[in-house]
Amino acid sequence: MLSNAANRKFEKCLIYAHRGASTEAMENTRAAFDKALNCAIDGIETDVQLSRDEVAVLWHDRFLDKIGFADRHIDDFDFTQLKALNFPQTGSEGIMALQTFLNDYRQRCRLLIEVKNRDWESVSRHQKKMLQTLDLIGTVTDNRIMVSSFNLPSLAFAHQQTALFPLVYNLDDHHTFSDVQQVLNDCAFLYGFCLPIAMLDRSLVDVLRAQEKCIAVYTCNTDEEIDKALQLDVDILISDVPHKALEKRDAMKRGI
């Protein structure tokens, strides 16, 4: 067995902008992505949902309250209707389709694409969302584009469709160390885990490294959160303030 240090998926901790530079522009928009790329970030994390007519678009929240529709979902609208709505800081472009995002950014940085499969949605809807995402990405030969989800059955379905695609299981605050061990036993196909930074500790890092899994953490914004992620030597650090994470990573490399 390789040492834990040798089991790293990447040579250094990679900094991903959480939904773009979401403290400087509306999240998951071209403005946020371009502002993030003004820094030397390694990647962008974004979120995918489907419109009513099954077009994959970038949107995180359950509701559309950020654009004035507090009781409506993305899938209450067809794509052409969504394009006509006023999404701040997008100009005439409006909401971004996943296809557009991939066309414009896959050559510029790494991408972590979260498929937002909700518990109240049908399994068929989950599968359509995952299939759309995988089909639009196409064949991959490395880990520059990864797909994640909080919905484990969706990831198992994705693995059945394309066995070599790097898939990441997202955990939240209710998960435990035992949950991680169970998933490791049941789902060896997973490329990695994306965990809340508060959940991660050295023992969990050691378990994941021993299984050669990618370790991503979210959402590291404070000095303490960023320092913890860097000291635990994670593979991917996801932040709303990627410039701060980059500065601290580079300072650590220089021994400052």
Side-chain angles (χ1 to χ4, degrees):
M1 173 65 69
L2 296 171
S3 71
N4 284 351
N7 287 353
R8 284 184 57 87
K9 288 294 186 183
F10 306 101
E11 292 182 0
K12 63 179 180 180
C13 174
L14 302 179
I15 307 300
Y16 279 48
H18 187 225
R19 310 175 203 162
S22 54
T23 62
E24 301 178 47
M26 183 177 178
E27 64 187 37
N28 287 331
T29 63
R30 186 179 298 278
F33 301 144
D34 288 347
K35 285 180 181 295
L37 286 166
N38 287 335
C39 304
I41 61 165
D42 300 293
I44 290 172
E45 185 272 349
T46 192
D47 311 279
V48 170
Q49 299 193 53
L50 288 184
S51 63
R52 183 167 54 195
D53 53 345
E54 298 179 3
V55 176
V57 297
L58 306 189
W59 187 257
H60 173 271
D61 295 353
R62 177 179 179 182
F63 295 104
L64 292 169
D65 54 302
K66 288 176 181 171
I67 62 166
F69 296 90
D71 59 345
R72 306 295 293 276
H73 301 151
I74 279 286
D75 54 9
D76 288 332
F77 298 91
D78 291 338
F79 181 61
T80 54
Q81 294 174 309
L82 287 171
K83 292 295 284 184
L85 298 178
N86 178 29
F87 285 79
Q89 298 177 308
T90 62
S92 60
E93 182 173 35
I95 194 169
M96 185 176 285
L98 175 59
Q99 180 69 79
T100 301
F101 176 72
L102 290 167
N103 291 344
D104 293 353
Y105 293 96
R106 70 187 302 162
Q107 300 302 325
R108 300 177 67 184
C109 68
R110 296 173 179 273
L111 305 176
L112 177 58
I113 300 172
E114 181 189 339
V115 177
K116 302 296 290 188
N117 279 341
R118 314 290 193 174
D119 291 342
W120 65 85
E121 296 174 317
S122 67
V123 172
S124 63
R125 183 78 172 177
H126 289 178
Q127 293 177 348
K128 286 177 182 177
K129 212 178 299 186
M130 189 63 76
L131 278 176
Q132 275 249 24
T133 301
L134 295 174
D135 287 347
L136 289 171
I137 294 170
T139 302
V140 297
T141 57
D142 55 26
N143 52 26
R144 283 187 59 82
I145 301 180
M146 298 185 288
V147 166
S148 72
S149 180
F150 284 94
N151 187 276
L152 191 56
S154 295
L155 294 172
F157 172 78
H159 177 65
Q160 292 170 358
Q161 310 310 306
T162 173
L164 299 180
F165 199 98
L167 301 169
V168 176
Y169 183 36
N170 294 341
L171 303 175
D172 59 28
D173 293 333
H174 83 269
H175 286 103
T176 65
F177 187 95
S178 296
D179 293 329
V180 175
Q181 291 179 309
Q182 188 65 54
V183 174
L184 285 169
N185 291 334
D186 296 343
C187 303
F189 66 84
L190 289 171
Y191 185 79
F193 290 73
C194 186
L195 311 92
I197 184 60
M199 179 182 180
L200 194 66
D201 58 20
R202 176 56 60 189
S203 61
L204 190 48
V205 168
D206 289 344
V207 167
L208 293 172
R209 287 274 179 253
Q211 297 295 319
E212 301 184 8
K213 300 302 181 183
C214 174
I215 303 173
V217 290
Y218 70 95
T219 307
C220 302
N221 294 334
T222 67
D223 288 345
E224 292 76 13
E225 290 166 340
I226 295 170
D227 287 343
K228 178 181 178 182
L230 294 172
Q231 289 162 6
L232 288 173
D233 205 25
V234 303
D235 294 299
I236 297 173
L237 186 162
I238 302 170
S239 179
D240 294 322
V241 285
H243 58 283
K244 179 195 287 189
L246 285 165
E247 290 170 359
K248 294 182 78 66
R249 182 192 70 182
D250 294 345
M252 179 175 287
K253 285 170 58 179
R254 296 193 303 269
I256 298 176

